[in-house]
Amino acid sequence: MNALGRHILAEIYGCDPAILDDSELIKKIMVDSALAAGAEIREVAFHKFSPQGVSGVVVISESHLTIHTWPELGYAAVDVFTCGDRINPWDACNYLTEKFKAKHITATEVKRGLFDQPVSVKVSNL
């Protein structure tokens, strides 16, 4: 089976709450995780919530990384989606887990765009 991409859905627990509530640090860690995996950065957008929490996205040529944090629970929900086989999304997840000082991670990989055989597309002018 050929897949267009790999999508990691990560539940990251026992993280340092101070890290999870620092939007600039979260942005740096997310960008650095994408670069560590070999991705090419396109766009970056993050938002700090009041009284706590951060959400953000790092758009990469290969797709994206997203995060939403609950500092009060030491928890981060992270998605790492990469297309093609040039980079490994697990490299980014492992980097994040280390930098968040996490005690536990549960993650699932979903293959996106599964095809048994090459797809042909017929285009017609209407």
Side-chain angles (χ1 to χ4, degrees):
M1 276 262 169
N2 295 320
L4 295 177
R6 299 165 65 190
H7 195 162
I8 308 299
L9 307 169
E11 309 286 311
I12 307 176
Y13 299 96
C15 303
D16 182 328
I19 294 171
L20 295 186
D21 203 34
D22 185 331
S23 62
E24 288 304 311
L25 183 54
I26 289 287
K27 178 167 55 171
K28 179 180 179 355
I29 291 170
M30 291 288 288
V31 166
D32 288 349
S33 74
L35 293 173
E40 184 176 307
I41 307 295
R42 290 295 179 186
E43 302 280 338
V44 177
F46 282 78
H47 177 77
K48 171 76 171 84
F49 291 96
S50 180
Q52 57 202 1
V54 175
S55 281
V57 62
V58 176
V59 178
I60 57 177
S61 294
E62 301 80 7
S63 196
H64 68 270
L65 292 81
T66 61
I67 189 167
H68 188 76
T69 72
W70 285 262
E72 71 278 18
L73 300 175
Y75 168 74
V78 173
D79 288 2
V80 180
F81 184 15
T82 61
C83 296
D85 56 10
R86 192 178 66 75
I87 65 172
N88 183 347
W90 288 104
D91 292 342
C93 284
N94 291 333
Y95 183 94
L96 294 171
T97 302
E98 177 187 329
K99 295 300 180 183
F100 294 162
K101 300 180 181 173
K103 292 183 173 67
H104 181 70
I105 178 173
T106 301
T108 302
E109 179 174 333
V110 177
K111 303 286 189 205
R112 306 296 303 267
L114 293 174
F115 294 97
D116 288 330
Q117 54 189 325
V119 176
S120 62
V121 177
K122 181 178 178 184
V123 178
S124 64
N125 295 327
L126 299 176

